[in-house]
Amino acid sequence: MVRLLALVCAIVGVDTVFFSALTPLLPHYAAAAGLSKAAAGLLIAAYPAGTLIGSLPSGALVARFGDRTVAVLGLALMGVATLAFGWSTSPELLDAARFVQGIGGACTWTAALSWLATAAPESRRGELLGTALGAAVVGALFGPVVGAVANAVGTGAAFSAAAVADVFLIVVAFTVPSPRPQAPQPLRAALPALRDRQVMMGSWLMALAGIAFGTLDVLAPLRLSRLGVSGTVIAATFLCAALVESGLSPLAGRLSDRLGAARPLTVSLAAGAACAIVIPQLTSAPWLIGVLIAGMPFYGTLFAPASALVASGAQGLGLNQGIAFALSNLTWAAGQSIAASASGALAQATSDLVPYTLLTAACLGTFITLHRGRRAPYPRGLAPGQPRAGVVDGDGDGDGSCTGGGESSGNAC
């Protein structure tokens, strides 16, 4: 399990490095390839577009060929595309390479998290998934560093070295035991999951985290800039927030295992709603920086309990974990990409207060829905302690939910 966790952490960390490395390199590629602002936006959008399109097919591949095979495929796609991206100056080739990187990222994320969720004991599933997601945050921190190095030594040499790291991970993947592939499942096997409370709540929470970060990544830097904050301080603000998140993510997963998913989710949703209310009201740069560093990590702590809910729901349905994580990956990518484009346009047409108010409403609505699920009434004639017919009871308390407290209920969630 230690070797598998290390491998999964490395895989998702490398993926987020590639995702975030473009930011400091964008001026270089704009000059080298003659990109307009619109073309630069297309280049940035190519990676999440590849992830969005590759999510469901990657789940189907995991269900048919197994976790390790798809993880290796994703790493290979990532390595080849990274090599091409490093040596290309053609706008079309750059867009295509970035798009293929996104497809490779969809494969690696789906396969790696499915691999870990399948192998992890239920009593530690949330903690282990939280640790892997914390590693992804660390990768996102080092992405701009890799981009800065590439600016200094040349993109070709820097990304060639990154491609070698992909090859190394492929070799390591063959040394870690992988679960034997189950009977192949088509994508239509996911249809029952669309009616399952755990899978749907987990997927929505992933989407909500994507919506939150898509909104904040656009509006927060612009507001800080209007308040006179330098680019260096803005970068340091997001760096500090990500460092806090990397520590809180495993803690959220551990609390989900021990106390049930509802408790850490309650704290995260309440803090997220408060953060979204306060941010557009602040006119002092130091106060805004402090709120961002303290508040943004709570959106990231949604990921670990949400992933545990998805894994538990898939297990109860007999659904391949790869397909389940493909669904959640799809919702995250859709939430992030839609919020990033819509929040800026909405704020420009109205004010920053409007998208932040919508984010607050989404957090509070999820909070209410989560707690209504905990108080769901028993069907007529069914005593407490009996499972409901046709309902996955994630915590074993007979209410068909996955949010009860207690050691055994937390393990199931």
Side-chain angles (χ1 to χ4, degrees):
M1 184 54 65
V2 173
R3 283 193 296 158
L4 174 59
L5 180 61
L7 174 64
V8 170
C9 287
I11 288 174
V12 298
V14 166
D15 176 78
T16 52
V17 164
F18 291 141
F19 179 75
S20 58
L22 180 59
T23 302
L25 287 173
L26 196 57
H28 162 78
Y29 279 111
L35 300 178
S36 64
K37 286 185 177 180
L42 182 62
L43 181 61
I44 291 174
Y47 192 109
T51 301
L52 193 65
I53 291 174
S55 293
L56 290 180
S58 66
L61 289 173
V62 168
R64 184 170 183 83
F65 299 108
D67 305 308
R68 177 165 53 198
T69 300
V70 180
V72 168
L73 172 63
L75 289 168
L77 288 173
M78 188 77 74
V80 172
T82 299
L83 200 60
F85 191 81
W87 293 100
S88 177
T89 56
S90 163
E92 294 78 13
L93 287 177
L94 288 171
D95 290 339
R98 193 73 175 160
F99 182 79
V100 174
Q101 280 183 335
I103 295 175
C107 291
T108 54
W109 267 81
T110 299
L113 294 182
S114 170
W115 193 348
L116 184 60
T118 301
E122 289 188 29
S123 60
R124 297 189 61 207
R125 183 181 284 156
E127 176 187 356
L128 295 174
L129 288 170
T131 301
L133 293 166
V137 175
V138 173
L141 294 176
F142 280 97
V145 176
V146 171
V149 171
N151 250 334
V153 304
T155 57
F159 285 118
S160 295
V164 172
D166 272 327
V167 174
F168 173 75
L169 289 178
I170 290 174
V171 173
V172 173
F174 284 103
T175 68
V176 178
S178 175
R180 186 182 301 274
Q182 304 170 359
Q185 290 183 349
L187 282 178
R188 65 175 177 270
L191 292 178
L194 301 180
R195 300 185 298 271
D196 181 78
R197 181 182 296 173
Q198 293 182 78
V199 175
M200 284 297 94
M201 177 56 80
S203 297
W204 163 246
L205 288 165
M206 299 282 276
L208 180 58
I211 290 169
F213 283 116
T215 301
L216 286 163
D217 287 350
V218 173
L219 299 184
L222 295 177
R223 184 164 181 81
L224 286 169
S225 179
R226 288 196 299 270
L227 294 175
V229 178
S230 68
T232 301
V233 176
I234 293 174
T237 299
F238 279 79
L239 175 66
C240 291
L243 284 172
V244 174
E245 182 188 337
S246 67
L248 289 179
S249 186
L251 176 61
R254 193 175 303 120
L255 291 174
S256 177
D257 289 332
R258 295 180 179 178
L259 304 176
R263 296 194 183 183
L265 287 173
T266 295
V267 174
S268 297
L269 291 168
C275 184
I277 291 172
V278 171
I279 286 175
Q281 313 295 337
L282 295 175
T283 57
S284 166
W287 276 103
L288 179 56
I289 289 171
V291 170
L292 288 172
I293 292 174
M296 285 179 62
F298 284 99
Y299 297 115
T301 57
L302 295 172
F303 284 120
S307 298
L309 285 176
V310 170
S312 180
Q315 182 178 2
L317 292 170
L319 179 66
N320 186 280
Q321 295 285 353
I323 295 179
F325 277 103
L327 286 173
S328 62
N329 211 13
L330 179 67
T331 58
W332 165 82
Q336 177 110 6
S337 58
I338 292 172
S341 56
S343 61
L346 188 58
Q348 184 172 346
T350 56
S351 70
D352 285 8
L353 184 62
V354 175
Y356 279 118
T357 300
L358 293 175
L359 177 58
T360 302
C363 290
L364 293 177
T366 305
F367 180 96
I368 293 170
T369 302
L370 183 70
H371 284 270
R372 278 182 178 173
R374 296 186 71 186
R375 297 191 299 269
Y378 293 104
R380 182 176 298 177
L382 181 61
Q386 291 179 273
R388 299 184 194 182
V391 177
V392 177
D393 185 34
D395 58 6
D397 61 5
D399 68 353
S401 74
C402 61
T403 54
E407 183 72 25
S408 62
S409 65
N411 295 347
C413 286

